[in-house]
Amino acid sequence: MKKTTVLTFATLLSLASTAVAWTTIDLPDRVSFNNTAMTHLSDGRLVYAHDGSIYQQDTFGSAALSTYANAPTGDYGYITGNGFLGGGGFSGASVYEFTAAGTSTAFTSIGTQQNYGAVAYDGSSVLMVGGNGADAVSEVGHLSSAGVYTSIVSNVSSFSGGITLDGSANLYVANGNNNDIYSFSAAQVTASLAGTTLTVADGAFVANLGVSGSLAVDTLGRLYAAGYQLNGIQVFDLNTSITSSIIPLEENTNYVVSAFTDGSDDYVGWLNTGGFSAGDSVVYGYELDGSIVVPEPSAYALLAGLLSCAAVCVRRRK
C-alpha cells in the first residue's frame, strides 16, 4: 500500500503566515457594503464603526462591546481615538467631533470635507485624507476640533490612499493611483501647518507594496499596508528594507491595519471581513508587535523549492 502526501504552496504559505498567535474577536456582522473602520482608545480598547453603528470594547481583550447611543447614520470613512468621525463618504460628507471614551456622547458636525481616512495628530485634531483639493484631487489636510481645515500635502493622487503616523510623528501617505508610499518628517508637517503646503515631491519615497488602502507603523519600524489589490497584509521593514507578507486569517484582500498601545505595551491590530454583503463576518485580531514574526522572502523561496518534488513523502507498506 502506497501513501503519498503532497503539500501545496498555499498550504506551506499558510503555515508560514500563521506562525503568529493572533488573538481574535468576532465583531458584529456587516449590514451593508459600507466601510468598516476602527481605532483604539488610550488604554487599548477597540472602537469599531460600520454603517450607523459604533461599538466600544468594554475592557481591553474582551469580546463584550457597548454601543454609542447617538452615532450618526450613514457610511463612515474613519474613526479616531481622539474623537473624530468621518461620515458621509463621497456624498453629503460630514466630519463629527465626539468624546471617544463616552458611549453616551453627542456627535457634533464640524466640517463637510470628503473623508477617506484619518489619524489622530494631537489631542484635538487629525490629519485627514480625502478628495478635498482642487478639482476634488485627494490631499492630506489638518482638521482641528474647531473645524478649521488646512491643506498639508496637496495633489497626492486622483483618489485617496491610506495615511498614518509613526511614533515620532513622521507622516506616511499612500498614492492611490500607483501604490507608491511616501514619508514626510514631523518637521515638514509642522512647517506645513504654519502655512507652507507640501507636495508629493517634497516627500521621501519609501516603497511600493502593491496596496494603498490602509497603513500602520509599529514601534519596531515596520510599515504594514493592506488593500483590495493583494491578499493579506504587506510588510516593509524601514530599517532593513526587507519586504514580506503575512496572512493573519483569511486569504483575501479585506484587511484594515492599525498600530496601537494599551498604555504600557505596543500592538498591531487588524480587521478582516469575509465579504462585502449583509451578514458577512467581521473579525478583529491583534498581537504584541514584538511577537509578530514576519517571514523573510528567503523563507518563501525555500517553501517554493520544496514544491519542486511531486511528493514530499512516500511511504510503502507491505
Side-chain angles (χ1 to χ4, degrees):
M1 178 181 181
K2 182 170 73 173
K3 181 179 180 182
T4 302
T5 302
V6 179
L7 297 182
T8 66
F9 180 73
T11 301
L12 291 168
L13 182 60
S14 176
L15 290 173
S17 299
T18 56
V20 179
W22 300 99
T23 297
T24 59
I25 297 173
D26 292 333
L27 299 177
D29 292 342
R30 274 188 178 275
V31 296
S32 72
F33 181 82
N34 286 346
N35 293 312
T36 58
M38 71 167 167
T39 190
H40 295 84
L41 303 180
S42 59
D43 59 6
R45 285 181 293 157
L46 172 72
V47 178
Y48 165 62
H50 169 59
D51 196 354
S53 296
I54 305 175
Y55 305 87
Q56 180 188 110
Q57 195 175 31
D58 288 351
T59 58
F60 178 61
S62 169
L65 304 172
S66 297
T67 59
Y68 285 76
N70 301 310
T73 60
D75 195 8
Y76 303 136
Y78 66 81
I79 190 166
T80 65
N82 64 340
F84 288 76
L85 175 71
F90 291 94
S91 61
S94 186
V95 181
Y96 300 90
E97 184 189 24
F98 66 104
T99 301
T103 55
S104 61
T105 180
F107 288 77
T108 303
S109 179
I110 59 170
T112 57
Q113 291 79 16
Q114 196 272 315
N115 42 80
Y116 174 81
V119 61
Y121 183 66
D122 54 27
S124 60
S125 68
V126 292
L127 296 181
M128 184 173 71
V129 62
N132 301 307
D135 299 319
V137 171
S138 182
E139 67 175 21
V140 180
H142 175 269
L143 184 69
S144 72
S145 59
V148 177
Y149 180 84
T150 305
S151 178
I152 299 297
V153 184
S154 66
N155 197 28
V156 174
S157 51
S158 57
F159 60 96
S160 300
I163 181 176
T164 196
L165 292 169
D166 65 17
S168 299
N170 300 310
L171 171 67
Y172 295 80
V173 180
N175 182 324
N177 293 347
N178 59 17
N179 305 320
D180 285 349
I181 301 172
Y182 295 87
S183 66
F184 300 85
S185 70
Q188 284 180 296
V189 175
T190 299
S192 187
L193 275 169
T196 306
T197 303
L198 300 165
T199 67
V200 170
D202 295 313
F205 174 74
V206 177
N208 186 313
L209 302 180
V211 293
S212 57
S214 177
L215 301 179
V217 178
D218 70 12
T219 62
L220 301 179
R222 296 179 297 194
L223 171 65
Y224 299 79
Y228 70 90
Q229 300 95 335
L230 292 173
N231 288 341
I233 299 171
Q234 315 311 310
V235 188
F236 179 77
D237 193 313
L238 297 166
N239 301 305
T240 65
S241 297
I242 292 175
T243 301
S244 195
S245 178
I246 55 177
I247 300 177
L249 186 68
E250 299 292 338
E251 192 171 351
N252 62 27
T253 63
N254 310 334
Y255 285 90
V256 176
V257 292
S258 176
F260 68 98
T261 180
D262 66 354
S264 58
D265 295 313
D266 300 297
Y267 297 84
V268 171
W270 45 264
L271 289 182
N272 180 263
T273 63
F276 294 92
S277 300
D280 284 334
S281 63
V282 183
V283 178
Y284 166 63
Y286 67 96
E287 180 55 281
L288 290 164
D289 58 8
S291 297
I292 298 173
V293 179
V294 180
E296 294 188 11
S298 57
Y300 290 91
L302 176 61
L303 294 177
L306 292 175
L307 293 172
S308 63
C309 299
V312 296
C313 179
V314 177
R315 182 175 301 168
R316 287 188 175 91
R317 291 182 180 177
K318 294 183 180 179

